[in-house]
């Protein structure tokens, strides 16, 4: 029973902020039962959980229960439950601790010296189990819920409890919280029983409506073809542009001229590379001018690299000639 209560609280916590349309109710409920069994140290296999849900669905639809076939569909369902369990843990931030008010009820009744009244204890316990089908465990503290269940059971069985001051003030609960919790629990008995097949059909309709809205927002019809009515999409009619905009949209002549100059430079570089001289001499004239270039180089080097003695003798001869 503790694992059952933990699974229901986890289910209420998850769907308190999430939508039934975006997350499968059955997959999340299986995941919550499987996760609660591990939290409360009563582990069960996923296969057992799937078998129980499969049997309950057949009984709800008034069909003869048939054993589940271990085919690819079963493998896919098992993977979906594992993913749903991870999603629940992620959304809850791995805060899966649940403080159940069942023990608190017994403790409070012992303080009030009413634990011997088994009818009162059982009625309070029943209200506590029924409140798991509401969202009071997400909105109120477990101490307040325990006080509300005792208060409701005492009013139902017409058992007087201390009211000067009120007994629940001793346990930190307020009268407003108790009244709101009691109203929420009593609304559960006046509500009509929900048909699961009807609920699932409504969810499917909502899913289709959301998908169509997304397709229209993206500019796609439901079949996937692009719509021409969308203003932000493609329009087959050409837009009228002013002459200034046309001029502004034309490419400027500067980059075109720069491209032409770059092409000319590359062509000139190719030509020079094809006719490039070897060591400063073109290929055709290399053999002819080889000897002449050597003689010129020898004569230049000889005239340039004169010894200092020779230079001195030349200077003396010139000076003597001038004197004479």
């Amino acid at each position: 029973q503790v694992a059952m209560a933990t699974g229901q609280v986890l289910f209420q916590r998850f769907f308190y902020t999430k939508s039934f349309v975006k997350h499968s109710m059955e997959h999340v409920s299986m995941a919550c039962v499987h996760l609660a069994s591990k939290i409360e140290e009563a582990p069960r296999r996923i296969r057992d959980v799937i078998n129980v849900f499969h049997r309950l669905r057949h009984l709800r639809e008034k069909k003869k229960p048939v054993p589940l076939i271990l085919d690819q569909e079963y493998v896919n369902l098992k993977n979906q439950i594992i993913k749903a369990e991870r999603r629940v843990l992620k959304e809850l931030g791995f805060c899966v601790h649940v403080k159940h008010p069942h023990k608190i009820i017994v403790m409070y009744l012992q303080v009030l010296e009413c634990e011997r009244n088994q009818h009162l204890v059982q009625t309070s316990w029943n209200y506590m189990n029924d409140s798991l089908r509401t969202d009071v465990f997400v909105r109120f503290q477990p101490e307040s819920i325990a006080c509300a269940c005792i208060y409701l059971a005492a009013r139902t069985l017409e058992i007087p409890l201390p009211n000067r001051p009120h007994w629940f003030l001793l346990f930190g609960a307020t009268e407003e919280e108790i009244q709101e919790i009691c109203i929420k629990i009593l609304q559960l008995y006046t509500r009509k029983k929900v048909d699961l097949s009807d609920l699932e059909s409504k969810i499917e309709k909502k899913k289709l409506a959301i998908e169509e809205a997304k397709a229209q927002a993206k500019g796609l019809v439901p079949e996937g073809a692009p719509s021409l009515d969308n203003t932000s999409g493609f329009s087959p009619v050409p837009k009228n542009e002013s002459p200034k905009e046309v001029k502004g949209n034309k490419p400027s002549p500067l980059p075109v001229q720069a491209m032409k100059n770059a092409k000319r430079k590359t062509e000139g570089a190719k030509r020079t590379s094809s006719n490039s001289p070897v060591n400063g001499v073109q290929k055709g004239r290399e053999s002819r001018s080889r000897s002449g270039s050597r003689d010129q180089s020898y004569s230049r080097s000889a005239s340039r690299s004169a010894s200092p003695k020779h230079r001195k003798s030349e200077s003396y001869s010139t000076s003597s000639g001038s004197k004479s």
Side-chain angles (χ1 to χ4, degrees):
Q1 191 174 8
V2 179
M4 174 203 73
T6 303
Q8 287 180 283
V9 174
L10 295 177
F11 183 85
Q12 295 289 345
R13 286 181 183 178
F14 180 78
F15 279 113
Y16 197 72
T17 57
K18 296 299 176 181
S19 172
F20 285 105
V21 179
K22 296 182 180 179
H23 304 278
S24 175
M25 178 181 58
E26 191 173 14
H27 293 170
V28 174
S29 59
M30 292 183 191
C32 289
V33 171
H34 179 62
L35 180 60
S37 67
K38 293 187 287 186
I39 293 171
E40 301 300 338
E41 300 296 336
R44 296 291 185 273
R45 297 183 302 173
I46 299 180
R47 181 175 177 180
D48 298 336
V49 177
I50 294 174
N51 284 330
V52 171
F53 274 80
H54 179 72
R55 179 180 175 83
L56 291 175
R57 175 175 282 275
H58 279 269
L59 293 176
R60 192 186 305 115
E61 296 174 355
K62 297 180 180 180
K63 297 180 181 178
K64 184 180 179 180
V66 181
L68 189 63
I69 302 174
L70 303 181
D71 54 355
Q72 187 61 36
E73 186 176 355
Y74 165 79
V75 176
N76 296 336
L77 178 60
K78 186 176 179 180
N79 294 332
Q80 290 293 329
I81 295 172
I82 294 172
K83 290 180 181 179
E85 183 181 356
R86 292 176 181 173
R87 194 177 296 112
V88 170
L89 287 171
K90 182 181 177 182
E91 294 299 330
L92 298 182
F94 288 84
C95 297
V96 293
H97 174 70
V98 180
K99 186 177 180 181
H100 296 293
H102 296 78
K103 294 180 181 180
I104 301 176
I105 287 178
V106 178
M107 183 179 65
Y108 286 176
L109 289 174
Q110 288 175 354
V111 174
L112 296 171
E113 297 180 355
C114 297
E115 74 276 6
R116 296 182 180 179
N117 191 341
Q118 295 295 326
H119 200 25
L120 177 61
V121 175
Q122 187 63 47
T123 306
S124 304
W125 194 278
N126 293 340
Y127 279 129
M128 176 64 61
N129 290 333
D130 293 340
S131 65
L132 290 167
R133 298 178 59 190
T134 64
D135 60 348
V136 295
F137 280 85
V138 187
R139 300 169 55 194
F140 301 99
Q141 294 294 328
E143 291 81 7
S144 300
I145 300 172
C147 291
C149 292
I150 296 172
Y151 178 87
L152 190 59
R155 293 291 294 270
T156 304
L157 300 175
E158 297 180 356
I159 297 175
L161 293 175
N163 58 357
R164 292 184 182 179
H166 289 290
W167 60 272
F168 48 79
L169 297 176
L170 178 64
F171 305 118
T174 61
E175 190 173 0
E176 291 79 9
E177 289 181 349
I178 289 178
Q179 288 180 358
E180 191 172 355
I181 294 171
C182 291
I183 291 172
K184 199 71 178 179
I185 295 174
L186 292 175
Q187 285 177 352
L188 187 65
Y189 304 113
T190 59
R191 187 191 310 164
K192 294 182 180 180
K193 189 175 181 180
V194 180
D195 187 6
L196 187 60
S197 59
D198 185 30
L199 181 62
E200 289 177 348
S201 63
K202 290 180 179 179
I203 290 174
E204 288 297 327
K205 290 180 181 179
K206 288 285 186 181
K207 285 183 181 179
L208 293 176
I210 291 174
E211 290 177 359
E212 290 178 359
K214 286 182 179 180
Q216 290 178 1
K218 292 180 180 179
L220 300 174
V221 294
E223 289 79 12
S227 63
L228 302 179
D229 299 333
N230 193 1
T231 55
S232 63
F234 171 76
S235 176
V237 182
K239 297 180 180 179
N240 296 326
E241 297 177 351
S242 62
K244 293 182 179 180
E245 292 179 353
V246 174
K247 289 181 181 178
N249 292 333
K250 288 184 179 180
S252 61
L254 292 177
V256 177
Q257 188 66 27
M259 290 290 291
K260 290 182 179 179
N261 294 336
K263 287 183 179 179
R264 289 175 183 174
K265 287 181 181 180
T266 53
E267 290 177 357
K270 289 181 180 178
R271 291 176 183 174
T272 53
S273 63
S274 62
N275 298 328
S276 62
V278 180
N279 296 327
V281 183
Q282 294 182 359
K283 292 182 180 179
R285 301 178 182 178
E286 184 181 0
S287 59
R288 297 179 184 177
S289 60
R290 187 174 294 175
S291 59
S293 62
R294 286 179 182 175
D295 298 337
Q296 291 177 1
S297 63
Y298 287 149
S299 61
R300 288 175 184 172
S301 61
S303 62
R304 287 180 182 176
S305 62
S307 63
K309 293 182 179 180
H310 185 65
R311 290 179 182 175
K312 287 181 181 180
S313 61
E314 287 181 354
S315 62
Y316 288 144
S317 62
T318 51
S319 61
S320 62
S322 60
K323 287 180 180 181
S324 59

